[in-house]
Amino acid sequence: MATDDGASTTFDSDEVKEMYCEECEKHGDGYTPAVAFCVDCVEYKCVTCQKYHKRQSKTHKIQDSDSMPQDFYFEKCSTHPQQLIKFYCSECSKEACQECKDTEHDKCSDVNHLPTLASGIQKSDDLKDLQQNLDRLSEEIKDTEKLLKAKSEVVDKQEEKATEICKEHADKLIETYIQQHQDLIDDFDKKMEETIARLKKERLELVQVLSEKERMFKNKITKAETVMKDEVVGTNTEFKVIKSEHLNLVGNLKVLTADLEQAQKLGQNSKLFIKLKSTKQLCENLHRNIEQIQQVSIQHYKFKTLNIQPTEQALESVTRLFTFKNVSAIERRVVFNFDINSHIDFISSSLVLSEQTLLTLDWNKCSLAIHKLGISYANCMNDTKFDSSPCDITKVSDYKVAVTFPNEKMIRMITFSEDMKGLDITDIPVNGNCTGIAYRNPYLVVSYWNPASVKILSMSGEVVKTFDKDDNGKKLFIEPWGLIVSPDNTMTYVSDVDKHTVTCLTFDGKVKAVYKDDQLRTPRQLAVDEYGSVYVCGLDSENIHQLSSDLTKVKILVDKSHGLDKPMSVAYCPNTKRLFVGMRNKIKVFHVSLE
């Protein structure tokens, strides 16, 4: 602040501190040096203002220039720029001007004059404790940096190794594939000697076709490499986030520590008091962050190449070149995409036939609906009616499905045309009320509620195996309903709506595991993803459970909070990572990703 008539200017960094009369400033009378301080009004006064103040407020306690607070805090209030910050509210942990005190802190019980409150801070236990804490924290930061470096090296090494294996295998496949074509060309060149004129044109056309196929194959290999690299880099995200947060907190601590040291060095006790409070809070945050770093575990994983036959047909048909498997179970999370509402009354089962096509069975309407899928919508393309209620559906090939009709004791093989408009139906009678169904080439796996069993059928309906009792002769099921086969075709998962269980069977009928949980009631349809995780639809528990391949509970993936209301079916699309949950009058579509 500056005084009139050439008086000295005073800032926080000046050696000479001089307070001005606040009464004169309020009335626009310039800046006059203060010679006294009214404890009751919490205001500095000049000689003249103090003289009149004594007359008007005879009971107020006055401190003269020798005894009044000398540690002046000249920061202005951000809310009221014309007001000085004079108070500190310990209840709100905030500084305040006179106007803030009268309005925002009028109900606070611990608002004190800042210079008075900060008078003993240089020798306070809080300052000593903070300085000691900063020293300890400095050592912890050094140890943490070593821990970060060690864990970062593990992450970097895994990513580097995965990338190296991916590139090496991709180069080998491309080389093998090109060599296959070169062998074809060499063989063709030998025949050219006999019919050179005719074969020149054919050779040129063949080279062009093979070149285009090579280009497409290289693109597919490159895309597969990119997808796998993205998956590798995406691992250990939690650790990387905590690491980034740590670096930010350490940077902020350095700035606050410098401000703290400067305020202490210059004897700016009020500013030191404010910085002390801010630094203590940051120290607490950094302590919590360090604990997270110490506790977070690195996600280890195995990266392998698939064993693919080095033939042209095998290389062209392959869709996945590598396997990327975490050592521990991987939790999923879902994000709601959209609802499918059209022509739905009572969904008993659903099936993802392709990325663009979803099939649903409606028990009440005795129908099969074909839905065309978009990014954020679904349209019903066709609706086929039946004489009785369909129960479950499974994919046999790109345009062929099998559907169970328990009341008719019938399985219907339905073949669609390529435009999904025409269809051909073949009936397969079965001995029992069939419910769930899954296709395991070249067999059908079918569950029955009467008699309660699971049977392996040939494609003509002949019973190959029957599973209804365990090794001890006890009944396996009471009312088996949903049924799904693992991606590797080694396991069959069966839901029992009466026992509230999911049972895992080998293809020979041996029980590998049984899942039962208080939070799963009346399990219906099942789905399985490309990693082997099993999704169970709980009708009465109104949720979707995610299980590992050995039926260990991973988490409840979807529940009432996601809008579920008596869910009866669940289907999964591995290409789009979508989960379709069917209810009485709609289907909810979720996007599934790794945690």
Side-chain angles (χ1 to χ4, degrees), residues 21 26 54-55 94 102 227 243 335 356 398 405 571:
C21 176
K26 283 192 287 186
K54 282 184 177 181
R55 294 177 183 176
K94 289 179 63 177
D102 295 339
V227 170
K243 174 183 175 182
V335 176
Q356 298 80 28
D398 288 345
F405 292 82

Side-chain angles (χ1 to χ4, degrees), residues 163-220:
T163 302
E164 179 183 340
I165 295 175
C166 178
K167 183 66 171 63
E168 180 179 326
H169 188 63
D171 290 344
K172 185 176 180 181
L173 288 175
I174 293 174
E175 180 182 356
T176 302
Y177 188 77
I178 294 175
Q179 183 60 47
Q180 294 273 333
H181 289 169
Q182 187 60 49
D183 293 343
L184 288 174
I185 294 173
D186 292 343
D187 183 63
F188 192 84
D189 285 342
K190 293 179 181 179
K191 297 178 181 180
M192 282 180 54
E193 297 177 0
E194 301 176 3
T195 54
I196 188 68
R198 178 175 57 85
L199 294 181
K200 275 187 177 181
K201 182 178 180 181
E202 292 182 15
R203 181 185 183 281
L204 178 61
E205 292 175 351
L206 178 61
V207 170
Q208 290 174 343
V209 170
L210 295 179
S211 296
E212 176 61 18
K213 292 172 70 175
E214 289 174 11
R215 184 190 66 80
M216 294 175 64
F217 183 73
K218 289 179 181 179
N219 288 342
K220 183 167 67 173

Side-chain angles (χ1 to χ4, degrees), residues 85-189:
I85 294 175
K86 297 167 56 179
F87 304 96
Y88 183 81
C89 177
S90 297
E91 188 173 332
C92 301
S93 298
K94 289 179 63 177
E95 58 268 25
C97 67
Q98 183 66 53
E99 191 167 342
C100 289
K101 178 178 179 294
D102 295 339
T103 56
E104 298 179 17
H105 303 277
D106 58 326
K107 295 182 181 180
C108 296
S109 60
D110 195 7
V111 183
N112 297 286
H113 186 228
L114 180 57
T116 302
L117 185 64
S119 60
I121 193 172
Q122 288 284 1
K123 297 181 179 181
S124 68
D125 292 338
D126 278 355
L127 182 58
K128 292 179 182 179
D129 292 342
L130 177 62
Q131 289 172 334
Q132 293 174 357
N133 190 22
L134 287 173
D135 293 339
R136 290 192 298 271
L137 191 58
S138 177
E139 293 301 319
E140 290 184 26
I141 290 174
K142 291 179 182 179
D143 295 339
T144 303
E145 288 174 349
K146 294 178 181 178
L147 182 59
L148 280 173
K149 181 179 179 182
K151 290 188 175 184
S152 296
E153 287 177 354
V154 175
V155 173
D156 294 342
K157 187 173 181 180
Q158 286 190 115
E159 293 179 358
E160 180 182 352
K161 183 63 177 178
T163 302
E164 179 183 340
I165 295 175
C166 178
K167 183 66 171 63
E168 180 179 326
H169 188 63
D171 290 344
K172 185 176 180 181
L173 288 175
I174 293 174
E175 180 182 356
T176 302
Y177 188 77
I178 294 175
Q179 183 60 47
Q180 294 273 333
H181 289 169
Q182 187 60 49
D183 293 343
L184 288 174
I185 294 173
D186 292 343
D187 183 63
F188 192 84
D189 285 342

Side-chain angles (χ1 to χ4, degrees), residues 509-527:
K510 185 178 293 293
V511 177
K512 298 294 291 184
V514 177
Y515 177 71
K516 187 175 180 62
D517 188 90
D518 292 340
Q519 293 178 294
L520 178 65
R521 303 294 297 171
T522 320
R524 294 286 292 258
Q525 192 175 12
L526 307 167

